[in-house]
Amino acid sequence: PYAAATLTYAQLHRRANRVGHWLRARGADPASPVAIVMPRGWEQVAAAYGTLFAGSPYLPVDAAQPPVRVAALLEQAGAARVLTVSALVDGLADAVAGRDVLCVDRLPDDLPDRPLPAAQSPEDLAYVLFTSGSTGRPKGVMIEHRGMVNCLRATIDAFGVGPADRCLAVTALHHDMSTFDLFGVLGAGGAVVVPDGDRARDPAHWADLITRHGVTVWNSVPAMMEMLLAETADLASLRLAFLGGDWIPLHVPQELTVRAPAARVVSVGGPTETTLWNIWYAIDGIDPGWRSVPYGRPIANTRYHILDQHLRDRPDGVVGELCCAGPGVARGYWRDPDRTAASFVRHPRTGERLYRTGDLGRCRPDGVIEFVGRADGQVKIRGQRIELGEVEAALVRLPGVRAAAVTAVPHDGRPGHRALAGYVTPAGGQALDPAELTRALRAVLPGHLVPATLTVLPALPLTANGKVDRAALTAAAADPRGPGRPAATGHAPPTTALEAVIAEVWQEVLGVERVGVHDDFFALGGDSLLATRIVVRLRDALDTPGLGLLSLFTTVTVAQLAEAMRAGEDPPGRLEKVAEIYRHVASLTAEQLDAELMRS
């Protein structure tokens, strides 16, 4: 939707200064966050820098969220000023009503572009980032400049980031890992390559940009690197790959070092409440005895304590709660003193201010920390932090729902989770339609908080002490035959060769027994990584190199995808013929295939 643009440092500086002058003239100050609500593009970079130049912290808000959710976040944050783009401003009218709004792609001509005098100190806020909250109310994490500078300086020094580097900005602005792209790489004199807004989730597009621009630095959650590796891409230019925010599958660094021999793969971690990252581990090889990549060692000026429930030190090798100290620890939660007091405490022995992460880990004798899991209902799926309680709270607010429970479906054969599964019970004998409930959820929650499956039960299973038996629900969700990955009712088989090939690829990649042409991809357990594998398989099978990931995300059923592919084929009927040939060849034994080749 936006024209490609190449900005020099001088051009970016001038545009950011103009944004800063507009904000300062409208009362921007260090205590008032400025909301940035826009899709990926150069405008986000100018908006973030302009906000900081004005002296305010920036508040990144996912523009793809439902407008009611955007409005609620702006209200909770008290954001009186909003930066957006002209393509979105009409759709945001209700959400931003009563607030000062600037379209960064259409800056008024009379705004000055000279630098503004600094209005903040190192102790002031750099950004406020809202994350999922267990009570149903998101938590606004407040990060100060001092902590960000410490983390960015440590990273630049440790890995030699500089003017020769180019980073592909695949991480969304509302994820804290994006701060490395915006302030780490640009702050070190490097360049940032921004994917096209309408192809931001397309790994084929990423691969093209890496080759075209000689990208040297990658920074994302592991799932996005898995998506990239599913492409036959030339990754030789990569020299650094930061992977964090979730468990790293062991095959990822192994494959990456083969595809990008010069790349140094670094596992980075740390909660949102402690800046960009505050612990890392350079992966120089995979130990055959590993179940997962070690969490690592704290970065400069940062400390990790492993404590019991009474905040007493745990000895090496013994699991305890990971508690962080140092300049990167957040100030607390925005306008939420109770939750701040519960999570940010003083170490009883050292007096340090700690953040209690809720993560469990242990320290090896060599000082390397290993991550074990969570002590509560927080999970991560494709790097997105999710409090199961927030999703449950949204479910029970829907009409007709008496009780709800949400579980995270584990990956097969590796740590971490692949999807959410929701369970509801009806109130007063009402009939509940899972599809209707899912549509209602999508109107109030961002996509990553909406369960992939929703099952109506007469009652939730309980443990002996009367609590919801989440273990039983998790086991059911992980069972390919259970409610976590259901086949759609009224199974409709493929009626054309093209539909049959698509359905067969879905069955193999998703690991389900059968796929009907109207079955929902996400309800069958699909996600971004699996979608990438499907698209790659279909490109090869049907000779459609132009097929993109967006095609699957915007169609979601076999019938819809087949129809969309036919609409773009040239000449008409080509895909059906290719699919018939593919299915015929796939049905032959090796001997039969040899015989047909000899005859032809």
Side-chain angles (χ1 to χ4, degrees):
Y2 305 106
T6 300
L7 296 184
T8 64
Y9 274 82
Q11 291 170 325
L12 175 62
H13 190 233
R14 286 195 294 270
R15 296 187 192 198
N17 280 333
R18 294 172 70 192
V19 172
H21 276 281
W22 185 90
L23 291 170
R24 186 76 68 85
R26 283 155 182 79
D29 61 67
S32 306
V34 173
I36 299 176
V37 191
M38 62 181 72
R40 211 167 316 220
W42 66 263
E43 297 91 344
Q44 281 189 338
V45 184
Y49 272 94
T51 301
L52 297 182
F53 290 169
S56 293
Y58 71 94
L59 167 67
V61 178
D62 182 4
Q65 293 185 105
V68 65
R69 173 86 169 191
V70 174
L73 288 177
L74 297 181
E75 183 64 27
Q76 186 176 338
R81 289 159 286 277
V82 179
L83 303 177
T84 186
V85 289
S86 53
L88 292 186
V89 69
D90 290 341
L92 290 172
D94 291 339
V96 301
R99 307 177 195 280
D100 290 326
V101 179
L102 173 68
C103 293
V104 177
D105 58 329
R106 293 183 179 176
L107 296 173
D109 293 334
D110 59 349
L111 287 173
D113 61 8
R114 63 182 181 276
L116 285 152
Q120 66 270 69
S121 71
E123 289 75 25
D124 283 316
L125 297 181
Y127 63 83
V128 177
L129 185 61
F130 278 88
T131 68
S132 183
S134 59
T135 64
R137 185 170 183 262
K139 297 181 291 189
V141 178
M142 300 184 289
I143 297 296
E144 297 176 352
H145 286 277
R146 183 187 300 276
M148 277 302 302
V149 170
N150 180 75
C151 177
L152 294 173
R153 187 73 263 167
T155 304
I156 291 168
D157 291 347
F159 300 102
V161 180
D165 282 310
R166 294 189 173 191
C167 179
L168 186 61
V170 294
T171 301
L173 189 67
H174 58 274
H175 193 296
D176 61 348
M177 289 182 75
S178 68
T179 58
F180 174 71
D181 304 341
L182 264 65
F183 309 117
V185 176
L186 288 180
V192 171
V193 179
V194 182
D196 296 345
D198 57 350
R199 299 189 66 190
R201 299 171 65 187
D202 187 348
H205 180 49
W206 304 340
D208 175 61
L209 292 175
I210 289 172
T211 301
R212 190 156 24 117
H213 296 285
V215 169
T216 61
V217 178
W218 176 275
N219 167 46
S220 80
V221 296
M224 299 182 84
M225 175 53 74
E226 284 191 276
M227 292 166 65
L228 177 65
L229 291 173
E231 295 286 337
T232 54
D234 180 5
L235 307 180
S237 63
L238 291 181
R239 74 169 193 88
L240 271 175
F242 295 104
L243 302 178
D246 208 344
W247 298 90
I248 301 175
L250 296 179
H251 73 88
V252 169
Q254 291 175 311
E255 185 175 348
L256 183 55
T257 53
V258 173
R259 300 272 299 277
R264 189 178 187 189
V265 186
V266 184
S267 168
V268 290
T272 303
E273 288 83 352
T274 58
T275 69
L276 160 64
W277 48 62
N278 70 351
I279 191 169
W280 52 39
Y281 185 88
I283 307 172
D284 297 322
I286 300 297
D287 188 317
W290 281 357
R291 181 173 175 267
S292 61
V293 175
Y295 209 31
R297 301 176 188 273
I299 69 171
N301 304 312
T302 297
R303 292 166 297 284
Y304 264 74
H305 298 273
I306 302 178
L307 307 174
D308 66 13
Q309 60 182 336
H310 302 294
L311 300 184
R312 296 176 299 199
D313 292 326
R314 304 290 272 175
D316 287 353
V318 177
V319 173
E321 182 180 6
L322 300 179
C323 298
C324 306
V329 172
R331 183 186 295 178
Y333 297 120
W334 180 261
R335 295 180 176 175
D336 199 337
D338 292 339
R339 284 200 282 192
T340 296
S343 297
F344 296 86
V345 300
R346 291 286 174 184
H347 193 296
R349 179 171 53 83
T350 67
E352 295 172 287
R353 187 166 177 270
L354 302 176
Y355 170 63
R356 301 189 64 167
T357 68
D359 294 331
L360 300 177
R362 56 177 164 248
C363 188
R364 301 190 320 200
D366 62 358
V368 172
I369 294 171
E370 293 180 333
F371 183 87
V372 175
R374 289 289 301 178
D376 55 19
Q378 185 188 115
V379 299
K380 282 196 174 181
I381 297 178
R382 295 181 295 282
Q384 296 274 16
R385 193 167 99 175
I386 297 169
E387 294 278 3
L388 300 180
E390 180 172 6
V391 187
E392 292 170 349
L395 278 170
V396 297
R397 286 196 292 265
L398 298 180
V401 176
R402 179 171 60 87
V406 177
T407 64
V409 185
H411 281 296
D412 298 328
R414 76 185 204 211
H417 302 90
R418 62 174 176 82
L420 294 179
Y423 302 86
V424 294
T425 63
Q430 296 190 40
L432 295 178
D433 180 354
E436 288 293 335
L437 293 177
T438 298
R439 279 192 286 271
L441 271 187
R442 291 191 183 280
V444 296
L445 291 180
H448 70 278
L449 291 181
V450 177
T453 62
L454 202 57
T455 305
V456 179
L457 300 174
L460 297 176
L462 303 178
T463 62
N465 60 6
K467 295 183 178 181
V468 174
D469 191 344
R470 297 183 182 278
L473 291 175
T474 299
D479 186 347
R481 300 162 300 177
R485 295 175 76 174
T489 56
H491 175 75
T495 58
T496 68
L498 178 58
E499 288 180 348
V501 171
I502 296 172
E504 289 163 5
V505 171
W506 282 29
Q507 286 171 203
E508 291 179 28
V509 175
L510 295 173
V512 295
E513 293 182 5
R514 66 177 187 173
V515 172
V517 295
H518 302 306
D519 291 358
D520 186 286
F521 172 74
F522 297 102
L524 292 171
D527 59 26
S528 299
L529 174 58
L530 296 175
T532 302
R533 292 173 178 168
I534 286 172
V535 168
V536 171
R537 292 277 300 277
L538 289 176
R539 284 180 193 154
D540 293 340
L542 300 172
D543 188 26
T544 54
L547 182 65
L549 189 63
L550 191 62
S551 301
L552 185 49
F553 283 140
T554 56
T555 54
V556 308
T557 70
V558 168
Q560 292 171 350
L561 180 57
E563 183 179 356
M565 292 174 70
R566 288 192 198 97
E569 68 178 334
D570 184 26
R574 185 188 76 85
L575 282 176
E576 194 64 32
K577 292 178 181 178
V578 173
E580 289 172 356
I581 295 170
Y582 176 83
R583 294 198 75 211
H584 174 67
V585 171
S587 69
L588 300 176
T589 65
E591 292 77 10
Q592 291 171 327
L593 180 59
D594 287 340
E596 288 215 3
L597 290 173
M598 290 294 292
R599 283 197 299 272
S600 63

